[in-house]
Amino acid sequence: ATPTSIMAGSGRAAELGVLFKGGEHLELTHRITTVVLDKTGTVTNGKPVLTDVIAEGNITEEQLLSLVGSVEKQSEHPLAEAIVQGIKDRGISLSDPDDFEAIPGYGVKAASGGRNIMVGTRKLMNQSGIDIASAAEKMEALEKDGKTAMLVAVDGVYSGIVAVADTVKESSKAAIRRLKDMGLEVIMMTGDNQRTAEAIAAEVGVDRAIAEVLPEGKAEEVKKLQMQGKHVAMVGDGINDAPALAVADIGMAIGTGTDVAMEAADITLMRGDLNSIADAILMSKKTIRNIK
Ligand code: ADP
Ligand code: MG
């Protein structure tokens, strides 16, 4: 590889908003066979909005939201921000929780106003021995709509559901089509549940979705693909994507995402648009052709 062609290639890529950390990444990117996309903030805009509130038993919607919001306001998770914003928009007041605990990949727990509150996944509820059988149908219906539905337990009793919806980026579907037309395999990976993931996957046309991946599991999933002989590009924006970005053959961080993701990646995509993935691969191919 001549330094001149690498320089020229990097420069042209930068004009397209694709920043390669080093020349070697520009040379290697053309080998990619499989693109793994994080869901939230990568395929979607990552700005979920509270859409559904279901209160069960002796609790009103407003009481449920007040308890949920009091817990979630301590969490830094994008889901928590969406829930808290939705509750504030409804003019409901929140109190400060005690003993707040975030359980990454599962949800949150805290005490507030003398009550124990838990918000999160089925697994979180099951692990705590909470009977959620009566929530099953409602959860499924929300998830089939592509919404992220979270169960709420108050003092150890299932008390309702809050759901949020995130919107798919306008460019995602066409950008994914472009990658597939280039002969690449495109996979979406998320900590969200399988049904929600499949609804979004169908909407944007990825080949398959790997769902319910715990934060520490994303890098493992990338390694599994590599062991099948695939050359993997991982694309993500979050702190929890950083290990997978580092392990992948090429890590691509969304420039609007977290600094941690950008530090772990080989390429930063300055535009949130997934078209930059195909742009990066094409720039690499062109550079390699010039080299040969
Ligand atoms: P993602 O990969 O989509 O960012 P995470 O691994 O962070 O997902 O979380 C997985 C699941 O855990 C979420 O879909 C949600 O059901 C639950 N969860 C995580 N954080 C919270 C929270 N602060 N409040 C409620 N549920 C949460
Ligand atoms: Mg994300």
Side-chain angles (χ1 to χ4, degrees), residues 3-292:
T4 332
S5 56
I6 297 282
M7 286 267 287
S10 299
R12 278 195 304 270
E15 282 166 27
L16 295 171
V18 178
L19 306 185
F20 286 87
K21 257 192 204 161
E24 69 274 26
H25 305 306
L26 183 58
E27 289 178 81
L28 290 173
T29 299
H30 78 282
R31 292 196 196 155
I32 293 309
T33 58
T34 301
V35 178
V36 178
L37 306 167
D38 157 61
K39 175 174 76 70
T40 311
T42 300
V43 172
T44 70
N45 286 305
K47 296 199 174 61
V49 174
L50 180 65
T51 53
D52 299 80
V53 181
I54 302 169
E56 307 270 24
N58 295 322
I59 193 166
T60 65
E61 261 180 37
E62 187 166 339
Q63 286 167 332
L64 183 83
L65 285 178
S66 178
L67 292 171
V68 168
S70 299
V71 177
E72 293 288 10
K73 78 180 204 194
Q74 294 297 312
S75 165
E76 280 158 20
H77 200 281
L79 289 170
E81 278 173 44
I83 294 169
V84 170
Q85 189 57 51
I87 293 171
K88 285 186 181 158
D89 291 347
R90 286 163 176 76
I92 295 168
S93 62
L94 307 177
S95 47
D96 283 319
D98 311 310
D99 305 324
F100 171 82
E101 189 190 346
I103 307 135
Y106 294 92
V108 289
K109 275 185 194 176
S112 175
R115 316 191 74 171
N116 284 306
I117 301 137
M118 205 183 291
V119 190
T121 62
R122 291 174 179 83
K123 277 186 201 151
L124 178 69
M125 299 294 153
N126 288 335
Q127 281 171 4
S128 310
I130 293 161
D131 180 4
I132 51 166
S134 64
E137 271 182 40
K138 288 166 192 164
M139 288 290 285
E140 282 175 27
L142 292 163
E143 289 166 354
K144 273 192 191 134
D145 264 355
K147 291 171 181 169
T148 299
M150 289 153 281
L151 295 150
V152 184
V154 179
D155 294 332
V157 177
Y158 162 65
S159 302
I161 300 172
V162 288
V164 306
D166 194 358
T167 48
V168 164
K169 287 179 188 170
E170 226 172 288
S171 52
S172 291
K173 190 174 178 179
I176 289 164
R177 176 80 261 160
R178 218 177 132 202
L179 292 170
K180 287 172 73 171
D181 287 345
M182 288 164 75
L184 294 155
E185 175 187 26
V186 187
I187 299 172
M188 193 180 78
M189 180 155 69
T190 179
D192 212 338
N193 82 91
Q194 190 71 40
R195 216 173 277 111
T196 306
E198 271 162 20
I200 308 274
E203 188 178 340
V204 298
V206 297
D207 296 306
R208 68 191 169 96
I210 307 175
E212 296 170 40
V213 184
L214 290 175
E216 66 275 14
K218 287 190 173 183
E220 280 310 310
E221 293 294 336
V222 169
K223 280 189 211 159
K224 273 192 220 163
L225 293 166
Q226 288 171 323
M227 280 184 311
Q228 294 164 21
K230 295 171 180 181
H231 291 271
V232 180
M234 170 75 205
V235 190
D237 68 322
I239 296 169
N240 60 350
D241 297 319
L245 289 166
V247 160
D249 296 275
I250 293 288
M252 301 189 188
I254 303 286
T256 51
T258 60
D259 291 344
V260 182
M262 279 179 267
E263 274 156 30
D266 307 304
I267 303 176
T268 298
L269 309 177
M270 294 311 292
R271 299 176 189 163
D273 188 325
L274 300 187
N275 275 296
S276 296
I277 304 165
D279 291 342
I281 296 169
L282 288 177
M283 285 315 304
S284 175
K285 283 189 175 159
K286 274 188 195 161
T287 304
I288 294 299
R289 243 182 269 133
N290 288 344
I291 289 166
K292 278 176 187 164

